[in-house]
Amino acid sequence: MTPLVEICCNGIGAARRAVWRGARRIELCADLSCGGITPAYTDIFSCTNLGVDVNVLIRPRPGNFVYSWEEVEKMSREIACCGQVGLHGVVLGALTPGGRVDLPVCKDLIALARSYGLSVTFHRAVDEALAAGTRVEVLMKEILSLGADRILTSGGAPDAFTGRSVIARMAETARRSGGCIVMPGGGVTPENLPAILEATGATEVHGSRLSLLLPS
């Protein structure tokens, strides 16, 4: 089965090019060089007429995923904006200083997203948690309790190919629980995509290279 390829787009111009090339779903962000932050409101508004599902990254700044009250408030306003203009979903995550999922913050943000009917992806904060030493089983239990639709992850490794065995464990845990989709992302290329899919059984994959859309 051909996986759904979500294209990570750095701004509205990249999103339009991706749709023209055949993208079926977009993750919209800004400043991809630092891992991405929330795009400008003007870009969010412009995505309403792209004709494909758009998930917006909700991340107030570069750096870690431990957020202040003011940053959580900003994230809430950005989620509300995405809901009010009728986009498909949001991509979010928050951690404690000890590298665990910040359950109270994530629960509140996800509840807000659900109130607007938004899809929710838990982003690569999961990889920072894994790198901090949080066990896969513990981390998956925490994220699955939140009810997110998918988890975007490289398996705690620098790229999804290197982390494919961990991603496979995460995907198996999610399948057993009847929970969310585990979506490999990070360093995915046309060359390593077949091995990632074989190892993980992924039905969705995330990448920033438009060549992923080209016929093999």
Side-chain angles (χ1 to χ4, degrees):
M1 181 177 70
T2 302
L4 185 152
V5 179
E6 177 182 271
I7 300 296
C8 182
C9 294
N10 193 29
I12 186 63
R16 287 175 175 146
R17 290 191 294 273
V19 172
W20 182 80
R21 293 287 297 273
R24 294 161 55 195
R25 191 172 73 214
I26 297 296
E27 183 199 291
L28 184 71
C29 68
D31 203 0
L32 191 55
S33 64
C34 71
I37 58 174
T38 305
Y41 282 108
T42 52
D43 279 6
I44 293 173
F45 296 146
S46 297
C47 275
T48 58
N49 61 4
L50 285 178
V52 300
D53 289 342
V54 177
N55 293 336
V56 174
L57 177 62
I58 305 298
R59 186 184 181 200
R61 56 163 171 76
N64 65 33
F65 300 100
V66 180
Y67 297 120
S68 67
W69 180 86
E70 291 81 6
E71 288 170 331
V72 173
E73 287 293 297
K74 183 176 187 292
M75 295 164 76
S76 297
R77 291 193 296 272
E78 292 163 347
I79 291 170
C81 174
C82 294
Q84 288 162 1
V85 301
L87 294 184
H88 178 259
V90 289
V91 182
L92 55 83
L95 302 178
T96 68
R100 299 283 292 273
V101 175
D102 191 329
L103 291 172
V105 166
C106 290
K107 284 178 180 176
D108 286 348
L109 294 177
I110 290 174
L112 177 61
R114 295 304 193 197
S115 75
Y116 288 102
L118 293 167
S119 173
V120 175
T121 300
F122 194 99
H123 61 41
R124 292 187 61 192
V126 66
D127 296 320
E128 187 166 302
L130 288 169
T134 304
R135 292 173 51 235
V136 170
E137 294 75 16
V138 171
L139 191 58
M140 287 298 294
K141 182 178 180 180
E142 292 178 342
I143 297 176
L144 290 171
S145 74
L146 295 170
D149 296 296
R150 65 187 56 80
I151 302 170
L152 170 60
T153 181
S154 65
D159 59 77
F161 177 77
T162 304
R164 64 193 185 279
S165 62
V166 175
I167 298 173
R169 288 170 59 195
M170 296 169 72
E172 179 59 27
T173 300
R175 280 192 288 268
R176 286 201 309 267
S177 71
C180 62
I181 293 166
V182 175
M183 179 170 64
V188 179
T189 68
E191 293 74 26
N192 65 29
L193 179 58
I196 293 170
L197 295 177
E198 180 179 4
T200 65
T203 58
E204 299 183 5
V205 65
H206 172 97
S208 59
R209 291 181 58 179
L210 292 181
S211 56
L212 284 170
L213 294 169
L214 298 176
S216 57

